[in-house]
């Protein structure tokens, strides 16, 4: 089994378990990097990456979220997803790169169409604010 396949298995276990922040942190490197579709600069470090993925789980991970395609390489997976947010269809990709131990080292999210990007930005910003409180 490739590093990516093993990491993907753990990713699905965490997501299926409700995206608990401690569980997310357990499958991530300390120096993990998150690339947001709406934030220009990469977000570096386990705490900020966990915060973004937890917020994404709370906003995107509603009852309509589903992965519709998975492409698995040696150390990277590309996961296409769809979801509905306030009546707006969101189509996106999670690109996850794992280190030699199967921990997440890089997580990139891309979203389309523009209307969906705007909705993701709006809802993620609100969720991140709630998490700070």
């Amino acid at each position: 089994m490739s590093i990516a396949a093993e990491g993907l298995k753990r990713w699905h276990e965490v997501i299926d378990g409700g995206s608990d922040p401690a569980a997310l942190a357990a499958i991530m490197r300390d120096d993990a990097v998150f690339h947001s579709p709406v934030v220009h600069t990469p977000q570096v470090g386990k705490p900020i990456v966990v915060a973004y993925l937890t917020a994404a789980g709370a906003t995107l991970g509603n009852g309509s979220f589903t992965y519709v395609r998975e492409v698995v390489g040696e150390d990277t997976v590309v996961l296409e997803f769809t979801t509905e947010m306030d009546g707006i269809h969101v189509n996106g990709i999670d690109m996850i790169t794992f280190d030699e131990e199967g921990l997440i080292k890089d997580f990139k999210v891309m979203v389309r169409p523009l209307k969906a990007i705007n909705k993701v930005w709006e809802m993620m910003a609100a969720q991140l604010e709630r998490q700070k409180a």
Side-chain angles (χ1 to χ4, degrees), residues 103-122:
L103 297 175
I104 295 171
K105 69 178 184 179
D106 193 84
F107 198 111
K108 183 180 292 183
V109 180
M110 293 181 268
V111 174
R112 61 167 299 278
L114 179 58
K115 192 187 307 188
I117 293 170
N118 291 333
K119 181 52 69 178
V120 167
W121 175 80
E122 171 192 323

Side-chain angles (χ1 to χ4, degrees), residues 74-96:
E74 185 55 38
D75 69 348
T76 302
V77 296
V78 177
L79 310 171
E80 181 182 3
F81 65 85
T82 62
T83 192
E84 193 95 6
M85 298 173 77
D86 287 348
I88 295 172
H89 177 77
V90 179
N91 178 226
I93 292 194
D94 291 336
M95 189 177 337
I96 309 169

Side-chain angles (χ1 to χ4, degrees), residues 4-124:
E6 196 60 45
L8 178 59
K9 180 179 175 226
R10 279 188 243 138
W11 171 253
H12 279 304
E13 288 168 359
V14 170
I15 298 307
D16 294 345
S19 298
D20 175 69
L24 283 167
I27 64 169
M28 191 166 310
R29 289 171 54 116
D30 289 340
D31 62 350
V33 178
F34 181 78
H35 306 270
S36 166
V38 295
V39 177
H40 177 68
T41 56
Q43 304 299 299
V44 180
K46 186 187 290 191
I48 192 76
V49 176
V50 168
Y52 269 85
L53 292 176
T54 301
T59 55
L60 295 167
N62 58 43
S64 67
F65 182 93
T66 187
Y67 283 119
V68 296
R69 185 180 331 184
E70 296 182 349
V71 180
V72 182
E74 185 55 38
D75 69 348
T76 302
V77 296
V78 177
L79 310 171
E80 181 182 3
F81 65 85
T82 62
T83 192
E84 193 95 6
M85 298 173 77
D86 287 348
I88 295 172
H89 177 77
V90 179
N91 178 226
I93 292 194
D94 291 336
M95 189 177 337
I96 309 169
T97 302
F98 301 92
D99 70 8
E100 53 283 339
E101 296 174 17
L103 297 175
I104 295 171
K105 69 178 184 179
D106 193 84
F107 198 111
K108 183 180 292 183
V109 180
M110 293 181 268
V111 174
R112 61 167 299 278
L114 179 58
K115 192 187 307 188
I117 293 170
N118 291 333
K119 181 52 69 178
V120 167
W121 175 80
E122 171 192 323
M123 293 182 80
M124 282 286 293

